[in-house]
Amino acid sequence: MTILQLGISNGLLNNPKVRPLVQRRKETARRRMFLLAQAIPSRTQRIMESISLSSEVGGAGGAYSYDALKRLDGIWSSICSAKKFPQEPQQVVSSFPGKSSHNTVMIDKEVAKYDVVVCGGTLGIFVATALRIKGLQVAIVERNVLKGRDQEWNISRKELLELVEVGVLSEDEIGQATAVKFNPNRCGFEGKGEIWVEDILNLGVSPAKLIEIVKNRFISLGGVILEGYRVLKVSVYDDAAVLQLAKDKTLSSRLIIDAMGNFSPIVTQIRRGRKPDGVCLVVGSCARGFQDNSTSDVIYSSSSVNRVGKSQVHYFWEAFPAGSGPTDRTTYMFTYVNPQPGSPKLEELLEDYWQLMQEYQVISLENLEILRVIYGIFPTYRDSPLQAAFDRVVQFGDASGIQSPVSFGGFGSLTRHINRLSTGIYEAIAGDFLDAYSLSLLNPYLPNLSCSWLFQRAMSAQQVSDVSPKFVNELLHVNFLCMERLGDPVLRPFLQDVIQFGTLAKTLGLVMLTKPQILPSIFKKVGIPVLLDWSVHFFMLGYYTLLSTFADPVIRPLLNSFPSKLKYEWKRRLEAWKYGSGLDFKL
C-alpha cells in the first residue's frame, strides 16, 4: 500500500505532516500525465503531418500546416487569457498635423507617389482594381506573394455579379473562376426536419484562379504590386501619408486602404488591443471519398451543447462539394464563443471534429483521403464597422468589421459593398475629403449589421442552468420554418446576410404566434441588457428603412445643387440608409 493509499484509508489527509506529502504525490502524478500526453501526438497532429502541403498563402484560411495551427492557437490563448492583448499594441500610424511630407521625407531618396496604396492584397486586390479602373494611381503592398488559397470560397452568382458591375470581372471570367456548382442547399437542426433552398452559396469559386484573373487585370491597367513587403510604419502629414516598408522601401500616398484583415496591426492600434466581443472558431477539412456529393449544407446542427474542457460549445456544420474532384467534399464545423480563459483551442475542436464529422457525414474516416485541414479564428466587435481614426487611412474588408457577426462572410460582404465603397473612396480622393470624419462616412453605422449581434448571442453556448441545451436548435428551427412559410422575400435575404426591417418583423411576429413558449428562454439566454440594446438597433433599422424609402427620393435630386463637400457627405448618408436597412438587396 502506498503512502497516499495509506493516508486515504486511515483518514489522515487532514494530518499536517501527511498533507504536504500527499500534495507532492498528486503534483508528481499530474506532471507525469501531462508529459505522457505531450509525448503522444494528437489525432490532429498525425493527420496534418501526413498530408503533403502546397505553399501556404496569406489571408484567412490560407495556412494548413500543424505548425501554423499551433501558432494560431497561441495567439488565441493570448487573446483569451488577458484583458488586452499581451503586449501594448505597436504604434504603426503616427500623425503630424501642420507638417508637410515634402519637408520631412528625405529628399535624396526616390519616393514613389500614388493616389492610393492598398495594404493587404488578398481582398485588397478587388478594391484596388476597381479604383484603378476609375483612373487612380494605385499600388498594393502584400507581405507574401499575392495569390489565392486552394480552398474555395462559397458564394452565390448574384453576389459575384457585383464584381462584374464595377468592372473587376467579366461574366465569362465568373465561369473560369468557378470550380464547382451544386444544388439544392440544406438547412437543418437536430432531427427537426430540413429546409431546402436553391442557388444559395451554391458556387465554389477558386480563390487562386479568381485572384489570378483580377491580379492580371490590375497589372494590365498599370497597377503596381509590391510583394514580400511588410508595413512597418505609416506617417500621416497634411498633404500625404508616407509608408515605411521592410527592405528600406518608402511610398507616399494620398490615401492608405488597410485591407490587412482581422489582425491588422493598424486595427489593433485603433482598438487599443482590446478583446473581441465575440469570436467564431472554425475547423474543417477537404477530403476525397464521398460518393453522394451533389448537395450542400448551408447550416446544419446535428447535436445540442457539447463540453470541451471547461467550456460549453454548440457546434454547427457546413458542407460543400469541392472543385478538386467529383468525390471531394469540404466540411466545416464552427462555434461561437466569448474569448475568456478556458475557451477551447482549435486543436481541441479538431479532435472533436474527426469523431463528429463521421457521424454527421455518415462515413468512416478510414474511407477518406484527407487533402487538407482548415481552421480559423474570426473575431468581431459590436462597434462595427470600424470608424476611421486617422486622416488618410481607412479600413476595408475584414479589417473594417463590415462582415456579418453570424456568417463572417468576408468575401460576400466585399462583393455587396464594393460598388458603394469604390465610388465613395474615388469621390473622397477627387474632392480631397481625406480627413478622419469624411473617411468615417465610408464605414457608417449600419443598424442591420448591429441587429445581427442578437443572433450570434443566441447561437452561442452559455452556461444558463434553466435553459434547455436544445434551446438553440429549437429557436433556429422555428425561425427557419417561419421564414420558409413567409417565402423567398424573407428567407433568401437572411441566408445572404441581409437583415431587413419588414422581413425581420414578420419573422419575429410569426415566431411569437407559432411558439410563444420559447420567449422566456430567449430572455434568459441572451439577457435583458442585450435585448434592450438590440431593440435600439431594431428601431434604427425601421428608421433607416423609412429614410431610405421616403427621404432619399426627395434629397437625391437636390444633390447636384449642393457644395462639393456637402454633396459628398449626403451621398454617403443616403448610402448608409440604403445599405443599413438592407434595401440594397434585390431578389
Side-chain angles (χ1 to χ4, degrees), residues 30 43 182 188 192 240 249 268 273 368 403 418 422 513:
R30 272 197 289 266
R43 190 180 203 176
F182 39 85
K192 297 180 180 296
K249 183 81 171 176
T268 302
L368 298 176
Q403 64 274 21
I418 192 167
S422 59
L513 290 174

Side-chain angles (χ1 to χ4, degrees), residues 119-255:
C119 300
T122 304
L123 293 183
I125 185 68
F126 297 97
V127 71
T129 304
L131 294 173
R132 183 70 195 112
I133 289 169
K134 293 179 182 294
L136 298 178
Q137 297 299 317
V138 186
I140 297 173
V141 175
E142 169 57 46
R143 59 188 275 173
N144 302 301
V145 175
L146 178 48
K147 63 178 182 177
R149 68 183 194 184
D150 294 328
Q151 190 59 43
E152 285 117 8
W153 288 331
N154 295 107
I155 197 166
S156 308
R157 178 178 174 83
K158 177 182 181 297
E159 295 167 298
L160 283 178
L161 290 174
E162 302 282 355
L163 297 177
V164 175
E165 186 175 337
V166 296
V168 171
L169 279 182
S170 68
E171 290 202 45
D172 287 343
E173 288 167 338
I174 289 179
Q176 295 173 31
T178 301
V180 62
K181 301 177 183 179
F182 39 85
N183 265 317
N185 325 111
R186 179 175 67 160
C187 307
F189 308 98
E190 198 180 11
K192 297 180 180 296
E194 299 167 348
I195 294 171
W196 292 87
V197 294
E198 295 274 343
D199 300 329
I200 296 293
L201 302 179
N202 68 307
L203 301 183
V205 173
S206 165
K209 184 62 177 176
L210 180 64
I211 290 177
E212 179 188 4
I213 291 170
V214 180
K215 181 179 179 180
N216 289 338
R217 171 156 292 128
F218 179 69
I219 293 173
S220 71
L221 291 168
V224 175
I225 300 177
L226 300 172
E227 296 177 321
Y229 287 92
R230 184 166 58 91
V231 175
L232 300 179
K233 187 177 180 181
V234 178
S235 300
V236 179
Y237 300 96
D238 286 353
D239 60 334
V242 177
L243 283 81
Q244 294 180 357
L245 309 178
K247 305 177 186 178
D248 198 28
K249 183 81 171 176
T250 303
L251 305 178
S252 176
S253 178
R254 296 179 65 192
L255 178 68

Side-chain angles (χ1 to χ4, degrees), residues 301-470:
S301 175
S302 58
S303 63
S304 299
V305 173
N306 294 267
R307 179 166 288 279
V308 180
K310 299 178 181 178
S311 300
Q312 287 190 326
V313 295
H314 191 114
Y315 291 138
F316 300 94
W317 298 87
E318 290 182 328
F320 305 93
S324 50
T327 66
D328 296 356
R329 191 168 180 83
T330 299
T331 307
Y332 294 106
M333 184 181 80
F334 61 97
T335 187
Y336 304 102
V337 300
N338 296 322
Q340 56 191 354
S343 293
K345 294 183 177 182
L346 291 170
E347 187 168 2
E348 291 176 313
L349 296 188
L350 277 165
E351 289 299 293
D352 275 359
Y353 169 83
W354 301 120
Q355 180 60 43
L356 297 174
M357 188 267 284
Q358 299 176 88
E359 302 170 13
Y360 162 55
Q361 296 283 20
V362 196
I363 192 169
S364 171
L365 205 60
E366 296 176 357
N367 295 330
L368 298 176
E369 176 190 353
I370 307 298
L371 303 179
R372 55 186 165 269
V373 179
I374 308 156
Y375 48 87
I377 296 171
F378 298 91
T380 188
Y381 296 82
R382 300 188 70 167
D383 57 343
S384 293
L386 182 63
Q387 301 290 293
F390 308 100
D391 296 347
R392 301 186 180 275
V393 180
V394 68
Q395 273 64 44
F396 176 81
D398 291 352
S400 72
I402 208 166
Q403 64 274 21
S404 165
V406 176
S407 75
F408 290 83
F411 183 55
S413 66
L414 177 149
T415 61
R416 179 186 170 197
H417 291 275
I418 192 167
N419 196 346
R420 174 183 73 83
L421 286 170
S422 59
T423 300
I425 291 169
Y426 174 77
E427 292 178 358
I429 292 173
D432 201 29
F433 309 134
L434 301 173
D435 57 284
Y437 169 75
S438 297
L439 294 176
S440 288
L441 298 177
L442 296 168
N443 285 323
Y445 165 68
L446 302 174
N448 57 358
L449 186 68
S450 297
C451 279
S452 298
W453 264 100
L454 182 70
F455 309 140
Q456 197 227 52
R457 179 82 174 187
M459 293 166 70
S460 301
Q462 300 165 19
Q463 186 64 47
V464 183
S465 58
D466 51 352
V467 173
S468 167
K470 297 183 178 181

Side-chain angles (χ1 to χ4, degrees), residues 158 496 500 578 582-587:
K158 177 182 181 297
Q496 292 182 262
Q500 299 172 326
K578 182 178 180 179
L583 294 181
D584 61 296
F585 180 88
K586 305 297 180 186
L587 283 175

